[in-house]
């Protein structure tokens, strides 16, 4: 139910670059795992322990940093609930920061993202049954986007049916 997994999220097509068989996973220390990808990226995960459901313990690995082929880094911070709360891109010596994003959570699943270029985005989710759906994204640099969902008898869960954009533009399924 809970644990470590690596997933191919490169898109619909498997290639040598994204094929999981071309990745190498190495446990470097008791609490650390490194993943080396076919395209030259190294990802470091740290093992964290949780207490959930009373006194049951389980562990998960949280992505801490990525070293890109050019030597630059992407670093990740996490809050006490093990959610990403900071992303920072730096040079290879960590002395120069190129960009950052801070993420703060509010409500059950909603969150706010602030970026180094002054952009602020608020993501609001609604719940139907046990499933959460993105309802809208509010931005300080652009108009709000709204998302609508429909229920069809042949689909057990609602599916995206319309995105409402500024100036009464929309995309509809």
């Amino acid at each position: 139910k809970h644990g470590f997994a690596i997933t191919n999220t490169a898109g619909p097509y498997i290639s040598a670059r994204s094929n999981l068989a071309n990745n190498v996973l190495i446990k470097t220390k008791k609490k650390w795992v490194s993943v080396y990808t076919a395209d030259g990226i190294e990802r470091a995960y740290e093992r964290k322990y949780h207490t959930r459901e009373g006194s049951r313990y389980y562990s998960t690995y949280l992505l801490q940093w990525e070293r890109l082929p050019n030597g630059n880094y992407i670093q990740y911070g996490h809050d006490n609930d093990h959610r990403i709360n900071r992303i920072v891109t730096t040079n290879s010596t960590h002395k120069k920061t190129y960009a950052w994003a801070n993420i703060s959570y509010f409500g059950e699943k909603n969150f706010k993202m602030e970026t180094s270029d002054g952009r602020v985005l608020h993501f609001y989710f609604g719940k139907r049954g046990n499933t959460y759906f993105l309802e809208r994204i509010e931005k300080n640099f652009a108009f709000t986007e709204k998302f609508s969902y429909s229920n069809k008898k042949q689909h057990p869960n609602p599916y995206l049916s319309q995105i409402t954009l500024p100036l009464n533009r929309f995309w509809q399924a």
Side-chain angles (χ1 to χ4, degrees):
K1 182 177 177 183
H2 304 286
F4 183 67
I6 299 174
T7 309
N8 178 8
T9 58
Y13 305 107
I14 302 292
S15 69
R17 181 174 171 244
S18 63
N19 189 335
L20 293 179
N22 293 329
N23 292 327
V24 176
L25 186 141
I26 298 173
K27 188 171 185 178
T28 56
K29 297 178 185 172
K30 188 175 182 179
K31 289 179 57 178
W32 288 87
V33 170
S34 291
V35 175
Y36 298 87
T37 65
D39 57 358
I41 295 174
E42 177 187 3
R43 293 187 178 101
Y45 297 83
E46 183 181 13
R47 187 176 194 175
K48 298 287 187 173
Y49 293 93
H50 307 255
T51 303
R52 293 239 195 239
E53 302 159 10
S55 60
R56 293 177 63 192
Y57 291 92
Y58 69 93
S59 64
T60 189
Y61 285 84
L62 301 177
L63 179 61
Q64 298 297 318
W65 54 263
E66 297 178 89
R67 183 172 42 232
L68 305 176
N70 65 2
N72 291 344
Y73 281 84
I74 304 173
Q75 299 171 306
Y76 300 89
H78 301 84
D79 65 12
N80 291 334
D81 292 322
H82 300 239
R83 301 174 296 191
I84 291 178
N85 66 358
R86 184 159 173 84
I87 303 169
V88 180
T89 57
T90 68
N91 66 358
S92 60
T93 61
H94 306 286
K95 292 182 180 176
K96 180 174 183 173
T97 298
Y98 296 118
W100 54 261
N102 288 326
I103 303 167
S104 56
Y105 298 87
F106 59 95
E108 199 164 349
K109 295 288 180 185
N110 305 323
F111 64 92
K112 175 174 101 172
M113 181 180 289
E114 298 177 85
T115 63
S116 55
D117 63 358
R119 295 177 183 225
V120 179
L121 299 94
H122 290 85
F123 295 81
Y124 294 92
F125 291 81
K127 185 175 181 181
R128 291 187 187 178
N130 293 328
T131 306
Y132 290 90
F133 297 92
L134 180 61
E135 288 185 338
R136 71 183 187 279
I137 304 172
E138 295 177 357
K139 310 168 195 171
N140 71 340
F141 58 92
F143 293 103
T144 298
E145 295 178 36
K146 296 179 183 176
F147 303 86
S148 301
Y149 301 86
S150 293
N151 284 323
K152 295 278 185 177
K153 290 183 180 179
Q154 65 268 30
H155 296 287
N157 293 316
Y159 66 92
L160 183 63
S161 62
Q162 182 172 313
I163 301 173
T164 305
L165 302 168
L167 305 173
N168 293 321
R169 296 177 299 134
F170 62 91
W171 171 89
Q172 192 166 17

